[in-house]
Amino acid sequence: MPIQIDSTRLQQELQTLATITSIEQPAEGTAVTRIVFSPDDLRARAWLKALATAEGFLIREDAVGNTFIRWPGTDPTLPAVATGSHTDAIPHAGMYDGTVGVLGGLEALRALKRSGLQPRRSIELVMFTSEEPTRFGIGCIGSRLLSGTLDPTRADTLREANEPADTAQTLAAIREAACFQGTLASTVLPPNHYHAWIELHIEQGPLLEREQIPIGIVTSIAAPASYRFTITGLGGHAGALLMPDRRDALCAAAELILSIERHTLATGAIDTVATVGTCDVHPGAVNSVPSRVTLQLDIRDTDPTRRESVMQAVRRDIEDLRQRRKITITEELINADAPAQSSPHIIETLEQVCTEESIPYKKMVSRAYHDSLFMARIAPIAMLFIPCRNGVSHRPDEYAAPADIARGTHVLAAALAKLASE
Amino acid sequence: MPIQIDSTRLQQELQTLATITSIEQPAEGTAVTRIVFSPDDLRARAWLKALATAEGFLIREDAVGNTFIRWPGTDPTLPAVATGSHTDAIPHAGMYDGTVGVLGGLEALRALKRSGLQPRRSIELVMFTSEEPTRFGIGCIGSRLLSGTLDPTRADTLREANEPADTAQTLAAIREAACFQGTLASTVLPPNHYHAWIELHIEQGPLLEREQIPIGIVTSIAAPASYRFTITGLGGHAGALLMPDRRDALCAAAELILSIERHTLATGAIDTVATVGTCDVHPGAVNSVPSRVTLQLDIRDTDPTRRESVMQAVRRDIEDLRQRRKITITEELINADAPAQSSPHIIETLEQVCTEESIPYKKMVSRAYHDSLFMARIAPIAMLFIPCRNGVSHRPDEYAAPADIARGTHVLAAALAKLASE
């Protein structure tokens, strides 16, 4: 029997998952906020596991909450073929980022089962914990741990990034409260655990839509880095602290924000992007001169050397700022990751599926990073992109057309079937 | 009997009040956070009323929580002489701002009583509600209402400034929950309610300390204004939204912050000060391009025309920013107040006391604004300043020496006695 994707059901499931959110719906779309280990995240996990159980798939959860949904193959001792993504969402996000890879992956497994396939290798769907960095300031915690990229002891000491220092809880405390217990060292997967890994995802960029191509085959993932800057100046009363005596931390932060933007644009390369996404002001009162500001920077490039050259230029400006404004600026590296290359064999398999099914495709770079960046360290990987409207993501108006989601799911299923037969 | 200030008791009371706070104590001093109508503010009010009751003073509270502690004179039908200040505190503030005027005022009344004085006019101590703008985005709510400066209906609709729009409560709801009931229109004081008003306060500036003068007699209060700017750009994924397509609200906000600083410095006048004290970023995630930023600006000058010329220059930059960055910026005026002049008669009375007691004094401008700015609209006023260390205020290391506090309290008491005998 041919593989048939149940697009209606998949759409219903995406809609249902979108309702598991901690915020009201805005006029412009479906806003989703689902922070890792929040009550909403835990509800979403329970709902997903119930769907998998209903299909008779096996479920394993590790100590950090990564969830493995397995359809055993006829030779279950062989390394499995796997797919997956995440279901957590940043504040006021859309409903497709990550979820298409998880629910599309689930539908791919179901569609293969309905087609009568008896896979030789097991096929596994993975839902990763905390792909988004919102809660702990660092993204892809689950896949970093699986792949041995993040030290398990350090991981447990990560603290909530958006809480005051005196009340921020550790990952250890929060995962335990969410009933994910045991040592994080146990989450590391052995080498050759997976035969192949494919992640289905919306592009989060405008290229596929612009060129009207329904499938992107990702050949490499850009190298991301993130930093935290703490600017400390001199606080005081907004009326009484005279301008010549000021060492205003927010004015210094404003210069730093613009320096980052200027040097990023100056590379002239479309692949260099940098974002200051948060700006926390202390004490944060309208009539008080800011004494301390914390900024978080996300900077990415397909070329890590070029990324570092931007940082070097920013650091020269920081040196000038320090002297001119008599403030201190500390720079803290949160993470700096190397780019990942997709497996030529999996790329070829995906191209073969597209050719067989007469689906146009394009090979491309992923500028967003994904759990696949880390899976690449322990398995041959590739990613499948589908178009999203106006390239928009991380916003309530994020949108991918049902036909595009179904087509991506179909390509995913067909590729998993081929790889599982090897 | 001469007036004798009980400095030991006054210091103990200042210390006790400082412990009624919602935050931990930092290493650098005594940090106080006492937001209006928080549990700590309500505890502070109860404690103050108990002190007043113990002295046999009469207590009245109005519908917004302004608290009037009255020592009746021998002719209680005459307009009273009054003093006072506030006990609320911004986040991470010091322990002297406002409290010196309230507890010093209380000690002045007690010292006069101990001296055997039978005042002709009643002497009243006022503790104002919400001098600080932290909770509702506008300062001096109590004195604005008393003086008919703030429309009572509008006041009740003021919303919490630092809460999300969907959960921010109104002043009406919050004051009712704090058991301050009745219409706000009832808070307005009739003309000639007070014969004279004096507020004792730390300078919150460096001049008295620098010149080693223990008493400042305030002849005018600078004109403050505050604005809220909302910058709306285009959000998106920090990896996928390419730099040329960005309309980053935080980068635009950074330019606005620096524009304000530049034009404020450009007046060349020491009396022009401007502060952007808050910067709220939406959605506020490290990997999401800021789509909306809200800034609050506090700008003050002794010359309202010069203050407005700075705003005009900033608005020209905003026009440029709008076009160049394809963002929108809305400007909302929160308040813009006129400067106040002290009463020549009260200034003269204060000078007379200083001369009689051989205390050096200096006439000066108040760059910080105070409830006295609004009391000036319904009563003859003046303010008394005492030195504070390094001119620091609104910070945990704010400090005024016990001898300076006692001296200021002494001058206050002697002046109240003179004015109450008129």
Side-chain angles (χ1 to χ4, degrees):
Chain A
M1 259 204 303
I3 299 166
Q4 292 205 308
I5 302 302
D6 186 344
S7 179
T8 308
R9 177 172 182 184
L10 178 49
Q11 288 301 317
Q12 282 166 352
E13 289 172 352
L14 284 164
Q15 294 291 345
T16 302
L17 183 50
T19 64
I20 307 179
T21 168
S22 51
I23 51 162
E24 297 290 319
Q25 297 310 318
E28 72 265 32
T30 304
V32 177
T33 299
R34 203 158 44 234
I35 308 299
V36 66
F37 298 141
S38 66
D40 304 290
D41 177 50
L42 299 178
R43 271 203 296 147
R45 289 165 179 268
W47 172 79
L48 176 68
K49 286 186 286 183
L51 287 182
T53 303
E55 295 294 323
F57 298 144
L58 307 179
I59 297 174
R60 177 173 80 89
E61 292 173 296
D62 71 11
V64 79
N66 290 317
T67 302
F68 305 85
I69 292 168
R70 179 170 283 227
W71 177 22
T74 54
D75 191 344
T77 59
L78 289 176
V81 166
T83 186
S85 194
H86 64 98
T87 58
D88 65 329
I90 67 164
H92 291 266
M95 60 174 273
Y96 298 97
D97 174 9
T99 59
V100 163
V102 173
L103 295 175
L106 180 64
E107 176 56 21
L109 267 63
R110 287 189 305 223
L112 290 175
K113 207 174 146 208
R114 286 196 302 269
S115 77
L117 180 76
Q118 297 268 345
R120 181 168 173 243
R121 294 176 185 272
S122 300
I123 304 184
E124 195 162 90
L125 169 69
V126 185
M127 193 285 290
F128 295 104
T129 285
S130 203
E131 195 265 353
E132 300 293 359
T134 311
R135 188 154 192 180
F136 296 103
I138 174 172
C140 297
I141 292 177
S143 54
R144 283 178 196 271
L145 283 166
L146 284 191
S147 60
T149 311
L150 176 61
D151 178 71
T153 311
R154 190 196 145 206
D156 255 344
T157 64
L158 288 171
R159 284 182 179 273
E160 291 176 288
N162 299 319
E163 297 290 323
D166 49 345
T167 61
Q169 289 187 281
T170 60
L171 174 59
I174 289 170
R175 71 180 174 94
E176 181 158 327
C179 300
F180 294 110
Q181 298 177 342
T183 166
L184 289 186
S186 66
T187 61
V188 180
L189 292 180
N192 304 317
H193 185 73
Y194 290 123
H195 174 65
W197 166 267
I198 305 175
E199 182 172 1
L200 172 66
H201 209 283
I202 59 170
E203 182 196 342
Q204 303 185 295
L207 304 182
L208 291 175
E209 185 187 49
R210 243 176 233 169
E211 301 173 29
Q212 297 193 287
I213 297 175
I215 292 290
I217 297 175
V218 172
T219 54
S220 67
I221 304 175
S226 67
Y227 295 86
R228 185 181 295 126
F229 293 101
T230 303
I231 301 113
T232 307
L234 179 76
H237 188 286
L241 187 55
L242 305 181
M243 297 304 286
D245 297 332
R246 292 203 178 189
R247 288 150 52 194
D248 185 317
L250 184 57
C251 290
E255 286 205 53
L256 178 53
I257 290 165
L258 295 171
S259 156
I260 290 165
E261 184 191 41
R262 190 169 58 248
H263 293 301
T264 303
L265 286 166
T267 68
I270 200 70
D271 290 335
T272 320
V273 288
T275 307
V276 176
T278 70
C279 175
D280 294 316
V281 179
H282 180 87
V286 58
N287 58 350
S288 199
V289 179
S291 61
R292 191 175 69 244
V293 172
T294 307
L295 303 177
Q296 285 185 98
L297 165 66
D298 177 304
I299 178 167
R300 309 178 191 207
D301 206 314
T302 47
D303 176 354
T305 310
R306 193 167 52 202
R307 183 183 80 192
E308 185 52 29
S309 76
V310 173
M311 290 304 299
Q312 288 300 347
V314 168
R315 286 181 195 117
R316 285 191 292 276
D317 285 353
I318 285 177
E319 204 39 58
D320 166 63
L321 267 176
R322 277 195 183 113
Q323 296 186 8
R324 186 161 39 81
R325 288 191 175 268
K326 299 191 180 63
I327 42 91
T328 64
I329 301 187
T330 61
E331 172 194 321
E332 190 185 345
L333 175 68
I334 308 300
N335 61 280
D337 296 299
Q341 302 301 324
S342 294
S343 144
H345 174 61
I346 305 179
I347 294 174
E348 202 178 299
T349 305
L350 289 165
E351 291 190 80
Q352 207 182 330
V353 169
C354 290
T355 305
E356 284 167 12
E357 312 259 350
S358 305
I359 299 173
Y361 68 89
K362 169 189 167 74
K363 292 193 200 173
M364 62 193 302
V365 164
S366 170
R367 290 198 182 80
Y369 76 99
H370 300 278
D371 293 301
S372 294
L373 182 71
F374 303 100
M375 293 308 282
R377 304 192 180 181
I378 55 163
I381 69 131
M383 290 189 71
L384 259 181
F385 275 177
I386 59 168
C388 58
R389 189 173 58 196
N390 298 325
V392 162
S393 186
H394 280 195
R395 272 170 39 188
D397 55 340
E398 179 182 271
Y399 177 76
D404 286 326
I405 295 173
R407 195 182 292 105
T409 304
H410 188 105
V411 173
L412 173 67
L416 291 174
K418 277 185 198 290
L419 293 163
S421 71
E422 292 175 347
Chain B
M1 258 203 307
I3 300 166
Q4 291 205 308
I5 302 302
D6 185 345
S7 179
T8 307
R9 178 172 180 183
L10 178 49
Q11 287 301 317
Q12 280 166 351
E13 289 173 350
L14 283 164
Q15 293 291 344
T16 301
L17 183 50
T19 64
I20 307 180
T21 169
S22 51
I23 51 163
E24 299 289 320
Q25 297 310 317
E28 72 264 33
T30 303
V32 177
T33 299
R34 202 159 44 233
I35 308 299
V36 66
F37 297 140
S38 66
D40 304 291
D41 178 51
L42 298 179
R43 271 202 295 148
R45 287 164 180 269
W47 172 80
L48 176 67
K49 286 186 286 184
L51 287 182
T53 302
E55 295 295 324
F57 298 144
L58 307 179
I59 297 174
R60 176 175 80 87
E61 290 172 299
D62 71 11
V64 79
N66 289 317
T67 303
F68 305 85
I69 292 168
R70 179 170 284 227
W71 177 24
T74 55
D75 191 345
T77 61
L78 290 176
V81 166
T83 187
S85 193
H86 64 98
T87 58
D88 65 329
I90 67 164
H92 290 266
M95 58 174 274
Y96 299 95
D97 173 10
T99 58
V100 162
V102 173
L103 295 175
L106 180 65
E107 175 56 21
L109 267 63
R110 288 188 304 224
L112 290 175
K113 206 172 147 209
R114 287 195 302 268
S115 77
L117 180 76
Q118 299 267 344
R120 181 168 173 245
R121 294 176 185 271
S122 300
I123 304 182
E124 194 162 271
L125 169 70
V126 185
M127 191 285 291
F128 295 104
T129 285
S130 203
E131 195 263 354
E132 300 293 359
T134 310
R135 188 155 192 179
F136 296 103
I138 174 173
C140 296
I141 292 177
S143 54
R144 284 177 196 271
L145 283 167
L146 284 190
S147 60
T149 309
L150 175 62
D151 178 71
T153 312
R154 190 196 145 206
D156 255 343
T157 65
L158 287 172
R159 284 181 180 274
E160 291 175 288
N162 298 319
E163 296 291 324
D166 49 345
T167 60
Q169 289 187 281
T170 60
L171 174 60
I174 290 170
R175 73 179 173 93
E176 181 157 328
C179 299
F180 294 110
Q181 298 176 343
T183 166
L184 289 186
S186 65
T187 61
V188 179
L189 292 179
N192 304 317
H193 184 74
Y194 290 123
H195 175 65
W197 166 267
I198 305 175
E199 181 172 1
L200 172 66
H201 209 283
I202 59 170
E203 182 196 344
Q204 303 184 293
L207 304 181
L208 292 175
E209 185 188 49
R210 242 177 234 168
E211 300 173 29
Q212 297 192 287
I213 298 175
I215 292 289
I217 297 174
V218 172
T219 56
S220 68
I221 304 176
S226 67
Y227 295 86
R228 185 181 295 128
F229 293 101
T230 303
I231 300 114
T232 307
L234 179 77
H237 188 285
L241 187 55
L242 304 180
M243 297 304 285
D245 298 332
R246 292 202 179 190
R247 288 149 53 193
D248 185 317
L250 184 56
C251 289
E255 285 204 53
L256 179 52
I257 290 165
L258 294 171
S259 157
I260 290 165
E261 184 191 42
R262 189 169 58 247
H263 293 300
T264 304
L265 286 166
T267 70
I270 199 71
D271 290 335
T272 320
V273 287
T275 308
V276 177
T278 69
C279 176
D280 294 316
V281 179
H282 180 86
V286 58
N287 57 350
S288 201
V289 179
S291 60
R292 191 175 69 243
V293 172
T294 308
L295 303 176
Q296 285 186 98
L297 165 66
D298 176 304
I299 177 166
R300 310 180 190 206
D301 205 314
T302 46
D303 176 353
T305 309
R306 193 167 51 203
R307 183 183 79 191
E308 185 52 28
S309 75
V310 173
M311 289 305 298
Q312 289 300 348
V314 168
R315 285 181 197 118
R316 284 191 292 276
D317 284 352
I318 285 178
E319 204 39 60
D320 166 62
L321 266 177
R322 277 195 183 113
Q323 297 186 6
R324 188 160 39 79
R325 288 191 175 268
K326 300 190 179 64
I327 43 90
T328 65
I329 302 186
T330 61
E331 173 193 320
E332 191 185 344
L333 176 68
I334 307 300
N335 62 278
D337 297 299
Q341 302 301 325
S342 295
S343 143
H345 173 60
I346 304 179
I347 293 174
E348 201 179 298
T349 306
L350 289 165
E351 291 189 81
Q352 208 181 329
V353 169
C354 290
T355 306
E356 284 167 11
E357 311 261 348
S358 307
I359 299 173
Y361 67 89
K362 167 187 168 73
K363 292 195 201 174
M364 61 194 305
V365 164
S366 170
R367 290 197 182 80
Y369 76 99
H370 301 278
D371 292 301
S372 295
L373 182 70
F374 302 100
M375 294 306 283
R377 305 193 179 179
I378 56 163
I381 69 133
M383 291 189 71
L384 259 181
F385 276 177
I386 58 167
C388 59
R389 189 174 58 197
N390 298 324
V392 162
S393 185
H394 280 195
R395 274 170 37 188
D397 55 339
E398 178 183 271
Y399 178 77
D404 287 326
I405 295 173
R407 195 181 294 106
T409 303
H410 188 105
V411 174
L412 173 67
L416 291 174
K418 278 186 197 289
L419 293 162
S421 71
E422 292 174 348

